[in-house]
Amino acid sequence: MTGANLENCSVSDPISFDDFMKVDVRVGRIVEAEVFPEARKPAYKMRIDFGPDIGIRKTSAQITTHYTPDTLVGKLVMAVVNFPPRQIGPVMSEVLTLGVPDADGNVVLLTPDRDVPIGGRLF
């Protein structure tokens, strides 16, 4: 997960399917990405389009190792869209963009391997 260092965690306690269904993970397309100079660690500010039902949401992510703003724009990503907004410096983050660590602990974004409609929910 971007914004959290979870790669060394053990398997979490079991949850019910109903608990899982409470987490709303959707596919969105990054429409803007720029350097976030006010962040404590290198990061980007992004705007992600989740389609007409959800709209465009803002977020930030520490993903500067593998991505540049130019390579991010147009990319499909997976994000949690129903967490409450969180203030990160001057940015109000409205979604949590999902990723996994590479061998060095740097974030690799979770992305669909095919072009899919934005706004689609993970199931």
Side-chain angles (χ1 to χ4, degrees):
M1 297 170 78
T2 61
N5 189 0
L6 298 176
E7 66 268 12
N8 295 323
C9 293
S10 60
V11 174
S12 298
D13 292 335
I15 62 170
S16 71
F17 185 75
D18 288 341
D19 288 338
F20 171 73
M21 291 305 296
K22 291 177 186 176
V23 181
D24 193 352
V25 178
R26 303 286 181 126
V27 63
R29 187 176 305 278
I30 299 172
V31 294
E32 288 181 24
E34 62 183 345
V35 174
F36 185 5
E38 302 91 349
R40 283 184 251 157
K41 295 182 179 178
Y44 297 129
K45 296 185 281 189
M46 299 180 293
R47 291 171 36 93
I48 304 171
D49 186 359
F50 293 95
D53 291 340
I54 297 171
I56 296 175
R57 300 279 178 97
K58 296 178 288 186
T59 193
S60 68
Q62 296 171 2
I63 55 174
T64 59
T65 300
H66 295 299
Y67 308 97
T68 65
D70 289 343
T71 62
L72 288 168
V73 172
K75 186 172 208 51
L76 291 175
V77 293
M78 302 301 297
V80 177
V81 298
N82 66 332
F83 282 152
R86 181 176 176 192
Q87 191 73 43
I88 301 175
V91 172
M92 181 61 73
S93 183
E94 300 170 314
V95 298
L96 176 65
T97 310
L98 301 176
V100 294
D102 67 9
D104 296 320
N106 298 304
V107 177
V108 175
L109 292 170
L110 291 181
T111 63
D113 68 354
R114 303 231 189 309
D115 193 22
V116 296
I118 59 175
R121 185 172 180 167
L122 176 78
F123 60 83

Short mmCIF file of all heavy atoms in Angstrom, two decimals, residues 3-5 16-18 20 25 34 41-42 44 48 50 69 90 93 101 104 106 111 113 117:
data_model
loop_
_atom_site.label_atom_id
_atom_site.label_comp_id
_atom_site.label_asym_id
_atom_site.label_seq_id
_atom_site.Cartn_x
_atom_site.Cartn_y
_atom_site.Cartn_z
N GLY A 3 1.87 4.80 1.16
CA GLY A 3 1.59 5.50 2.40
C GLY A 3 1.69 4.62 3.63
O GLY A 3 1.55 5.09 4.74
N ALA A 4 1.92 3.36 3.49
CA ALA A 4 2.05 2.46 4.63
C ALA A 4 3.17 1.47 4.32
O ALA A 4 3.31 1.01 3.21
CB ALA A 4 0.75 1.72 4.89
N ASN A 5 3.95 1.14 5.33
CA ASN A 5 5.05 0.21 5.14
C ASN A 5 4.63 -1.13 5.71
O ASN A 5 4.85 -1.43 6.86
CB ASN A 5 6.30 0.76 5.84
CG ASN A 5 7.53 -0.04 5.52
OD1 ASN A 5 7.47 -1.01 4.78
ND2 ASN A 5 8.64 0.37 6.07
N SER A 16 -14.34 -11.52 7.87
CA SER A 16 -15.46 -12.12 7.15
C SER A 16 -15.53 -11.55 5.74
O SER A 16 -14.96 -10.50 5.44
CB SER A 16 -16.77 -11.82 7.89
OG SER A 16 -17.10 -10.44 7.75
N PHE A 17 -16.25 -12.24 4.87
CA PHE A 17 -16.47 -11.74 3.52
C PHE A 17 -17.19 -10.39 3.57
O PHE A 17 -16.89 -9.50 2.78
CB PHE A 17 -17.25 -12.76 2.69
CG PHE A 17 -17.40 -12.34 1.26
CD1 PHE A 17 -16.33 -12.44 0.38
CD2 PHE A 17 -18.61 -11.83 0.79
CE1 PHE A 17 -16.46 -12.03 -0.94
CE2 PHE A 17 -18.74 -11.44 -0.53
CZ PHE A 17 -17.66 -11.54 -1.40
N ASP A 18 -18.12 -10.25 4.50
CA ASP A 18 -18.83 -8.97 4.64
C ASP A 18 -17.87 -7.84 4.98
O ASP A 18 -18.03 -6.72 4.48
CB ASP A 18 -19.92 -9.08 5.71
CG ASP A 18 -21.10 -9.92 5.26
OD1 ASP A 18 -21.27 -10.12 4.03
OD2 ASP A 18 -21.86 -10.39 6.13
N PHE A 20 -14.69 -7.71 4.09
CA PHE A 20 -13.97 -7.45 2.84
C PHE A 20 -14.81 -6.57 1.91
O PHE A 20 -14.29 -5.63 1.28
CB PHE A 20 -13.62 -8.77 2.15
CG PHE A 20 -13.06 -8.58 0.77
CD1 PHE A 20 -11.78 -8.09 0.57
CD2 PHE A 20 -13.83 -8.88 -0.35
CE1 PHE A 20 -11.26 -7.90 -0.70
CE2 PHE A 20 -13.33 -8.69 -1.62
CZ PHE A 20 -12.04 -8.20 -1.80
N VAL A 25 -12.73 -0.99 -3.51
CA VAL A 25 -11.54 -0.83 -4.35
C VAL A 25 -12.00 -0.69 -5.80
O VAL A 25 -12.71 -1.56 -6.32
CB VAL A 25 -10.58 -2.04 -4.20
CG1 VAL A 25 -9.37 -1.88 -5.11
CG2 VAL A 25 -10.14 -2.20 -2.74
N GLU A 34 2.08 15.22 -10.48
CA GLU A 34 3.14 16.21 -10.36
C GLU A 34 3.94 15.96 -9.08
O GLU A 34 3.46 15.30 -8.15
CB GLU A 34 2.57 17.62 -10.36
CG GLU A 34 1.64 17.92 -9.20
CD GLU A 34 1.02 19.32 -9.28
OE1 GLU A 34 1.51 20.16 -10.07
OE2 GLU A 34 0.05 19.57 -8.56
N LYS A 41 8.81 12.68 2.44
CA LYS A 41 9.57 11.76 1.60
C LYS A 41 9.16 12.02 0.16
O LYS A 41 8.04 12.47 -0.09
CB LYS A 41 9.25 10.31 1.98
CG LYS A 41 9.70 9.94 3.38
CD LYS A 41 9.39 8.49 3.66
CE LYS A 41 9.85 8.09 5.06
NZ LYS A 41 9.53 6.69 5.36
N PRO A 42 10.04 11.73 -0.82
CA PRO A 42 9.69 12.00 -2.22
C PRO A 42 8.34 11.36 -2.60
O PRO A 42 8.10 10.18 -2.32
CB PRO A 42 10.84 11.35 -3.00
CG PRO A 42 11.99 11.38 -2.04
CD PRO A 42 11.38 11.16 -0.68
N TYR A 44 4.47 12.03 -5.23
CA TYR A 44 3.73 12.74 -6.27
C TYR A 44 2.32 13.03 -5.77
O TYR A 44 1.75 12.26 -5.01
CB TYR A 44 3.62 11.90 -7.54
CG TYR A 44 4.94 11.58 -8.20
CD1 TYR A 44 5.26 10.28 -8.53
CD2 TYR A 44 5.85 12.59 -8.50
CE1 TYR A 44 6.46 9.98 -9.14
CE2 TYR A 44 7.06 12.29 -9.11
CZ TYR A 44 7.36 10.99 -9.42
OH TYR A 44 8.56 10.69 -10.02
N ILE A 48 -7.04 11.28 -9.95
CA ILE A 48 -7.42 10.01 -10.58
C ILE A 48 -8.89 10.05 -10.91
O ILE A 48 -9.72 10.36 -10.05
CB ILE A 48 -7.10 8.82 -9.64
CG1 ILE A 48 -5.62 8.84 -9.25
CG2 ILE A 48 -7.48 7.51 -10.30
CD1 ILE A 48 -5.26 7.83 -8.17
N PHE A 50 -12.27 8.22 -11.64
CA PHE A 50 -12.96 6.96 -11.37
C PHE A 50 -14.30 6.88 -12.10
O PHE A 50 -15.13 6.04 -11.77
CB PHE A 50 -13.17 6.77 -9.87
CG PHE A 50 -11.88 6.56 -9.13
CD1 PHE A 50 -11.23 7.64 -8.53
CD2 PHE A 50 -11.30 5.30 -9.05
CE1 PHE A 50 -10.03 7.45 -7.87
CE2 PHE A 50 -10.09 5.11 -8.39
CZ PHE A 50 -9.46 6.19 -7.80
N PRO A 69 6.06 11.64 -13.33
CA PRO A 69 4.72 12.16 -13.65
C PRO A 69 4.28 11.82 -15.07
O PRO A 69 3.13 11.47 -15.31
CB PRO A 69 4.88 13.67 -13.44
CG PRO A 69 5.92 13.76 -12.36
CD PRO A 69 6.90 12.66 -12.69
N PRO A 90 -0.19 19.86 2.51
CA PRO A 90 -1.23 20.73 1.95
C PRO A 90 -2.26 20.00 1.09
O PRO A 90 -3.18 20.62 0.58
CB PRO A 90 -0.42 21.72 1.10
CG PRO A 90 0.78 20.94 0.69
CD PRO A 90 1.10 20.02 1.84
N SER A 93 -5.90 14.01 0.80
CA SER A 93 -5.92 12.76 0.05
C SER A 93 -7.30 12.13 0.18
O SER A 93 -7.77 11.87 1.28
CB SER A 93 -4.84 11.81 0.57
OG SER A 93 -4.81 10.63 -0.18
N PRO A 101 5.36 -3.92 -2.49
CA PRO A 101 6.80 -3.60 -2.51
C PRO A 101 7.56 -4.48 -3.49
O PRO A 101 7.25 -5.66 -3.65
CB PRO A 101 7.24 -3.90 -1.07
CG PRO A 101 6.27 -4.92 -0.58
CD PRO A 101 4.97 -4.62 -1.27
N ASP A 104 13.33 -4.30 -3.12
CA ASP A 104 14.00 -3.28 -2.31
C ASP A 104 13.04 -2.49 -1.43
O ASP A 104 13.44 -1.54 -0.77
CB ASP A 104 14.77 -2.33 -3.21
CG ASP A 104 15.89 -3.02 -3.96
OD1 ASP A 104 16.57 -3.89 -3.36
OD2 ASP A 104 16.08 -2.72 -5.16
N ASN A 106 10.44 -0.70 -2.56
CA ASN A 106 9.85 0.43 -3.28
C ASN A 106 8.50 0.02 -3.86
O ASN A 106 8.31 -1.12 -4.27
CB ASN A 106 10.78 0.88 -4.41
CG ASN A 106 12.10 1.35 -3.86
OD1 ASN A 106 12.16 2.24 -3.03
ND2 ASN A 106 13.18 0.73 -4.32
N THR A 111 -2.11 -2.56 -10.94
CA THR A 111 -2.79 -2.10 -12.15
C THR A 111 -3.45 -3.29 -12.84
O THR A 111 -2.91 -4.40 -12.81
CB THR A 111 -1.81 -1.44 -13.13
OG1 THR A 111 -0.85 -2.41 -13.55
CG2 THR A 111 -1.10 -0.27 -12.50
N ASP A 113 -4.20 -5.72 -15.89
CA ASP A 113 -3.31 -6.08 -17.00
C ASP A 113 -3.98 -5.93 -18.36
O ASP A 113 -3.39 -6.27 -19.38
CB ASP A 113 -2.71 -7.48 -16.81
CG ASP A 113 -3.72 -8.60 -16.93
OD1 ASP A 113 -4.93 -8.31 -17.04
OD2 ASP A 113 -3.31 -9.77 -16.92
N PRO A 117 -12.90 -0.56 -18.12
CA PRO A 117 -13.60 0.68 -17.84
C PRO A 117 -13.26 1.22 -16.45
O PRO A 117 -13.20 0.46 -15.48
CB PRO A 117 -15.08 0.31 -17.92
CG PRO A 117 -15.13 -0.97 -18.68
CD PRO A 117 -13.83 -1.68 -18.38
#
